[in-house]
Amino acid sequence: MVNMMSEMKFTKDHEWLLINGSQATVGITEFAQEQLGDVVFVELPEVGSEYDQGDEVAVIESVKAAGEIVAPLAGTVVDVNEELADNPELVNESPLQDGWFVKIQLKDGVDLSELMTEEQYKEFTAD
Amino acid sequence: MTEELKTPLYDLHVELGAKMVPFAGYSMPVQYPLGIKGEHLHCRDQVGLFDVSHMGQLIIRGANVASALEKLIPVDLEALKPNQQTYAVLTNESGGILDDLIICKWDEETFFLVVNAACKEQDIAHLQSHLKDFEFEILEDQALLAMQGLKAAALMQELAPQACELTFMNGCHSEIDGMPVYITRSGYTGEDGFEISVANAQAEKLARLLLSYKQVEAIGLGARDSLRLEAGLCLYGHDMNTETSPIEASLIWSISKTRRAGGEKEAGFLGSARVLNDIAEGVSRKRVGFLVEGRVPVREGAGIFDADGNQVGEVTSGGFGPSINAPVAMGYVPASLAKADTKLIARVRNKDIPITVAKTPFVPQRYFRG
């Protein structure tokens, strides 16, 4: 799987989504991992958990501070990146690919219009 | 909001790509592109360079200055040898801690002090109000660089070989590349290393010289904190404050035997009644270190609970220790729960994390004692 930033969507919480049909893979952006610093622990949700948009889905602990992953859209977790338990540094090393967090089955009718394109996100982080 | 102060190395930090943050009124580097973990590990294995110019440096002079200072500091300052220094606390009238500091005897009439940045104005006012007949020289024109790590001494051998003969907590006037400096063999990382006081005007030249060696990396406040935490060293304002007695803070080692009960110079310092009473009677709470099960960092403010779920204390410093590759913390618990290996619980995001009272330092100290 090669994630192309041009196929991704982005949120103001510095998360990316790769939407494939009704499922979305979710991770954090390069910008976010840099701000966070060295990640030492990731707490992932259980498969099957349901979230509304904005709910806390996962917790990231870096040497510096704790951060959270929020559900970018409402849905149900269908897969989590178990690799992160043993190798949380994947979030730093490969945030857009190997460092993904969860796959979410999106709720019917979720609103995708608020998501940013790569270009819009770049503009957003330039401020 | 007053404008943030800058150390003489500010431009260099920015040039090196540091992330600058406000700290104790200064704009200071929290990390460089290497990152906190990389900087931390580099310092332990190689050499780390720290800008600690924000700390207060001052000289106090006068006849019998040692005995005058002993009224404020529970240390046998008269017994220090010339150029010998010690870690000490500045106590208040109720036996709490106003600040922790390093005090160095230059000669019988001259002491050199290094105090915390956030406390320096208050410390100086306190010292001056109690030492009216003494001359104070606040060294605002001096920067302070710390060079710490396994290979610090080998590097110092090339720069100022005289300083390599010093043992831990001793200092000397010297010169590095023609720049007059005062070097002490000390630091706050648990590693062997040096602190170098140098004129502001020459600080950048000295820093660039040190950074020209491939084994040296600049280290920011982030790694400075994880290094001192692993070394089991207290951070003023977090691990102790004006309410904490040095005995509660497990700093009894910083109080000279001669200043304790039965000593030749027993008591006679601010708050000595409480401090000596705390030694004699024991304290109800104590600062201890904690090892943490799992990988979740237990940070400042986390509550500590006993097996029955009663809150018994609080974490005052905590984070991830890159060298031991695990979370480490310190905090206060009742004396009855302060024994090593006592099992307790810390609560993080409403989850119970098992923690164990542990001896500090968490990593072996590598001070050079000769």
Side-chain angles (χ1 to χ4, degrees), chain A residues 34-35 38 40-41 43 59 61-66, chain B residues 19 31 35-38 295-297 299 320 349 351:
Chain A
E34 212 167 275
Q35 292 294 312
D38 306 297
V40 295
F41 174 78
E43 188 180 305
V59 177
E61 290 271 8
S62 76
V63 286
K64 224 186 299 176
Chain B
K19 197 176 287 180
Q31 65 173 85
I36 294 175
K37 190 172 155 192
R295 309 254 318 160
V296 180
R299 303 184 196 272
F320 195 82
R349 296 185 294 271
K351 282 202 184 109

Side-chain angles (χ1 to χ4, degrees), chain B residues 237-277:
Chain B
H238 300 257
D239 302 312
M240 74 277 209
N241 56 39
T242 52
E243 308 285 313
T244 324
S245 91
I247 312 310
E248 291 174 323
S250 299
L251 296 173
I252 188 168
W253 57 270
S254 74
I255 298 171
S256 302
K257 295 250 165 44
T258 53
R259 308 301 306 276
R260 301 183 198 173
E264 287 159 51
K265 294 193 281 184
E266 174 179 334
F269 57 90
L270 286 184
S272 57
R274 175 184 175 193
V275 174
L276 296 198
N277 183 67

